[in-house]
């Protein structure tokens, strides 16, 4: 089985990190609007009936098509296969 997915990177600020002391009656501190995503990365995952075989990070700008899948399987899949032999 093969699947591809986008993983979004972001670092949300917790309530504890945003907490500040203020005088009663003073307005709450202004918080800048932040975007939820700090970027995204595509991953290709390969699995068999026993579980995950390989997770590969696709470089930015790469086109994922049949040729790309074949290269990943040839290079990374061969290394995975050799790990069983030795």
């Amino acid at each position: 089985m093969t699947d591809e997915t986008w993983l979004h990177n972001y670092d949300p600020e917790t309530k504890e990190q945003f907490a500040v002391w203020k005088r009663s009656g003073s307005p709450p501190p202004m918080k800048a609007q932040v975007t939820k995503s700090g970027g995204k990365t595509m991953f290709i995952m390969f699995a068999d009936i026993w579980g995950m075989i390989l997770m590969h990070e696709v470089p930015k700008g790469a086109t994922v098509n049949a040729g790309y899948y074949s290269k990943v399987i040839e290079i990374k899949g061969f290394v995975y296969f050799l790990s069983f032999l030795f």
Side-chain angles (χ1 to χ4, degrees), residues 66-77:
Y68 189 85
Y69 276 110
S70 296
K71 282 191 181 213
V72 170
I73 291 295
E74 280 178 27
I75 296 167
K76 304 249 179 167

Side-chain angles (χ1 to χ4, degrees), residues 21-34:
W21 288 97
K22 67 178 194 77
R23 296 181 186 266
S24 63
S26 64
M30 295 294 290
K31 184 175 178 183
Q33 185 174 2
V34 294

Side-chain angles (χ1 to χ4, degrees), residues 17-56:
Q17 290 171 328
F18 187 63
V20 294
W21 288 97
K22 67 178 194 77
R23 296 181 186 266
S24 63
S26 64
M30 295 294 290
K31 184 175 178 183
Q33 185 174 2
V34 294
T35 59
K36 287 224 177 210
S37 177
K40 61 183 182 177
T41 307
M42 179 181 260
F43 281 88
I44 300 173
M45 290 147 303
F46 300 90
D48 62 11
I49 60 172
W50 295 285
M52 184 75 68
I53 295 174
L54 170 69
M55 187 161 78
H56 171 74

Side-chain angles (χ1 to χ4, degrees), residues 64-86:
V64 178
N65 54 22
Y68 189 85
Y69 276 110
S70 296
K71 282 191 181 213
V72 170
I73 291 295
E74 280 178 27
I75 296 167
K76 304 249 179 167
F78 183 68
V79 171
Y80 173 76
F81 175 73
L82 286 178
S83 68
F84 281 108
L85 296 177
F86 300 104

